[in-house]
C-alpha cells in the first residue's frame, strides 16, 4: 500500500547483509554458536530476518512474486560484483527466499549458483553455500535430493569435510545431516 515499500525494504536489508567484518581469520576462529560471533554479525542476521519476514508476509497474501521480481536482479547483481561480501549476501538472500519458490527450474537454477560457491576460495562463501544447501534440503528435499542432483552433490559433501576452515567444515556436516535425512535410497 506504500509505494516502493517492498523495494526500499529489500534494499536496506541487502545493505545489512553486506555489513560483514573483513577479519576472515577472526571469523574462522569462532564457532557459529558463540555470542561474540552472533553480536558481530547482528546486522547480517537482521538483514536475513527482514527478507524472511517480508517474503513470508507477501507469500501469505499471494504477493511473493512482487518480492521475487525485485530480488532477481538484486541477486544477479550481488553475484556479478565478484567480491566475497556480495557473494555471501547473494547466498543469504537465496537461502531466505527458497522456501517460497515453487518453480522447480528456478530452484535448480538457484542450487546451481549455490553449488558453484562450495569450492570458493573464501571460507565465508563456502560456509554460506553450505548453509544454503541445508536450507534448500529442508525446504525442497524432494527436488534437491533427486537421483540426478544427489549423485552430483554427495561428492561435494566429501570435499567439504576436508575444508581447511573448520567453521565451513562444521557447516558442511550440519548441511549433510539435513540433506542426508531427505535422501532416500533402496538397499
Amino acid at each position: 500500500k506504500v509505494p516502493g515499500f517492498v523495494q526500499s525494504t529489500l534494499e536496506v536489508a541487502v545493505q545489512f547483509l553486506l555489513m560483514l567484518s573483513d577479519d576472515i581469520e577472526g571469523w574462522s576462529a569462532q564457532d557459529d554458536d558463540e555470542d561474540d560471533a552472533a553480536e558481530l554479525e547482528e546486522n547480517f542476521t537482521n538483514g536475513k530476518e527482514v527478507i524472511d519476514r517480508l517474503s513470508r508476509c507477501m507469500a501469505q497474501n499471494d504477493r511473493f512474486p512482487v518480492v521475487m521480481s525485485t530480488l532477481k536482479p538484486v541477486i544477479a547483481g550481488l553475484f556479478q560484483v565478484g567480491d566475497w561480501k556480495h557473494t555471501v549476501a547473494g547466498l543469504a538472500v537465496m537461502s531466505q527466499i527458497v522456501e517460497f519458490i515453487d518453480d522447480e527450474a528456478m530452484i535448480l537454477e538457484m542450487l546451481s549458483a549455490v553449488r558453484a560457491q562450495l569450492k570458493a576460495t573464501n571460507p565465508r562463501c563456502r560456509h554460506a553455500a553450505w548453509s544454503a544447501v541445508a536450507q534448500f534440503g529442508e525446504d525442497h528435499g524432494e527436488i534437491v535430493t533427486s537421483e540426478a542432483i544427489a549423485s552430483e552433490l554427495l561428492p561435494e559433501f566429501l570435499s567439504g569435510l576436508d575444508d581447511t576452515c573448520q567453521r565451513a567444515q562444521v557447516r558442511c556436516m550440519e548441511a549433510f545431516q539435513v540433506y542426508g535425512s531427505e535422501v532416500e535410497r533402496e538397499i
Side-chain angles (χ1 to χ4, degrees), residues 113-171:
V114 168
R115 287 184 55 215
Q117 298 305 316
L118 293 175
K119 295 195 190 281
T121 57
N122 188 291
R124 297 227 34 186
C125 293
R126 296 191 305 271
H127 181 272
W130 285 118
S131 294
V133 167
Q135 192 65 53
F136 278 57
E138 189 174 305
D139 295 333
H140 295 288
E142 70 286 350
I143 295 172
V144 299
T145 61
S146 67
E147 188 71 38
I149 301 299
S151 66
E152 295 173 4
L153 194 54
L154 289 173
E156 299 284 358
F157 283 106
L158 293 175
S159 296
L161 293 174
D162 289 330
D163 200 299
T164 56
C165 173
Q166 185 177 4
R167 199 164 170 185
Q169 189 180 64
V170 168
R171 182 61 68 181

Side-chain angles (χ1 to χ4, degrees), residues 17-183:
L17 294 177
L18 294 169
M19 293 180 175
L20 298 168
S21 171
D22 290 320
D23 183 8
I24 300 294
E25 289 182 25
W27 174 87
S28 295
Q30 292 178 324
D31 290 334
D32 284 335
D33 297 332
E34 288 182 23
D35 288 339
D36 291 343
E39 192 173 304
L40 289 173
E41 302 293 321
E42 190 173 4
N43 288 327
F44 183 78
T45 301
N46 290 337
K48 290 192 313 183
E49 184 68 24
V50 168
I51 292 169
D52 183 63
R53 286 183 183 202
L54 181 62
S55 297
R56 185 171 313 287
C57 289
M58 295 294 278
Q60 288 172 347
N61 292 297
D62 297 322
R63 305 273 298 145
F64 181 73
V66 172
V67 173
M68 194 62 191
S69 67
T70 302
L71 283 176
K72 272 185 181 181
V74 171
I75 293 168
L78 288 168
F79 282 102
Q80 287 173 351
V81 170
D83 77 344
W84 71 267
K85 288 184 180 183
H86 286 81
T87 300
V88 168
L91 290 165
V93 170
M94 289 194 302
S95 294
Q96 295 307 116
I97 66 171
V98 70
E99 73 179 283
F100 306 107
I101 298 173
D102 296 324
D103 180 25
E104 184 173 343
M106 175 63 71
I107 293 164
L108 293 174
E109 183 179 334
M110 291 169 61
L111 182 62
S112 178
V114 168
R115 287 184 55 215
Q117 298 305 316
L118 293 175
K119 295 195 190 281
T121 57
N122 188 291
R124 297 227 34 186
C125 293
R126 296 191 305 271
H127 181 272
W130 285 118
S131 294
V133 167
Q135 192 65 53
F136 278 57
E138 189 174 305
D139 295 333
H140 295 288
E142 70 286 350
I143 295 172
V144 299
T145 61
S146 67
E147 188 71 38
I149 301 299
S151 66
E152 295 173 4
L153 194 54
L154 289 173
E156 299 284 358
F157 283 106
L158 293 175
S159 296
L161 293 174
D162 289 330
D163 200 299
T164 56
C165 173
Q166 185 177 4
R167 199 164 170 185
Q169 189 180 64
V170 168
R171 182 61 68 181
C172 171
M173 287 188 271
E174 292 168 347
F176 181 73
Q177 181 180 3
V178 172
Y179 187 85
S181 68
E182 296 292 330
V183 175

